Amino acid sequence: MDTFLNDAEALVMRRGARMTRIRRKVLRLLLESAEPAKAYDLLANLDGEGSAKPPTVYRALDFLQESGLAHKIESLNAYVACGHASHSHSAVFLICDSCGGAEELHAVSTSQALKVETAAAGFNMTRAVIEVRGTCRDCAA
């Protein structure tokens, strides 16, 4: 985890931004979470970070999303760390209706097809988040 956090900090610095203590802590909490994390759950776990308020967490989450280090799963109103931050991609999430878990799928061909389709429609896509609902392999077993 420390290697990922250090790599994330280097990535942010190369882009001319700063990985503040709060941003790093929020990213660590996302990495440690077994399920997508809601902002208020993150806030509750920011122990030792002074009087962090909801806007502080939301600003950190916005920054992490803009940096490609986190994604928001809209249907769950929750966040996950991104394991593919070194390059831009469309996020595809497999969301289990049984256990509530979410797994990011690195669907390169799906992302490419989506770019082609949106361009054909005259639409300039900047990012996409695809949510696929169903049953995960653990719950299906």
Side-chain angles (χ1 to χ4, degrees):
M1 180 175 311
D2 287 332
T3 300
F4 183 89
L5 290 168
N6 291 336
D7 290 349
E9 188 160 357
L11 175 77
V12 165
M13 287 176 60
R14 280 194 305 273
R15 295 178 178 167
R18 219 169 58 93
M19 181 68 82
T20 63
R21 194 175 75 240
I22 292 283
R23 291 169 177 170
R24 186 178 177 97
K25 177 72 174 186
V26 169
L27 181 56
R28 177 180 288 278
L29 291 170
L30 290 175
L31 289 166
E32 291 173 345
S33 181
E35 297 177 354
K38 296 190 180 288
Y40 279 88
D41 295 334
L42 295 169
L43 180 64
N45 289 306
L46 279 178
D47 51 307
E49 296 302 331
S51 58
K53 303 275 189 250
T56 304
V57 174
Y58 283 111
R59 279 193 301 271
L61 289 166
D62 286 345
F63 174 83
L64 294 172
Q65 288 179 89
E66 290 165 9
S67 299
L69 297 168
H71 296 293
K72 181 176 184 182
I73 301 177
E74 296 289 341
S75 66
L76 302 177
N77 196 26
Y79 300 83
V80 295
C82 176
H84 312 113
S86 60
H87 61 281
S88 62
H89 64 283
S90 296
V92 177
F93 289 102
L94 308 178
I95 304 168
C96 182
D97 291 323
S98 297
C99 69
E103 179 181 343
E104 184 176 1
L105 181 66
H106 197 142
V108 176
S109 59
T110 302
S111 295
Q112 291 170 342
L114 190 56
K115 286 178 185 174
V116 169
E117 294 288 336
T118 55
F123 187 79
N124 183 23
M125 182 180 85
T126 55
R127 66 180 175 175
V129 177
I130 300 169
E131 301 179 15
V132 181
R133 308 286 304 209
T135 306
C136 70
R137 68 177 70 82
D138 292 337
C139 292

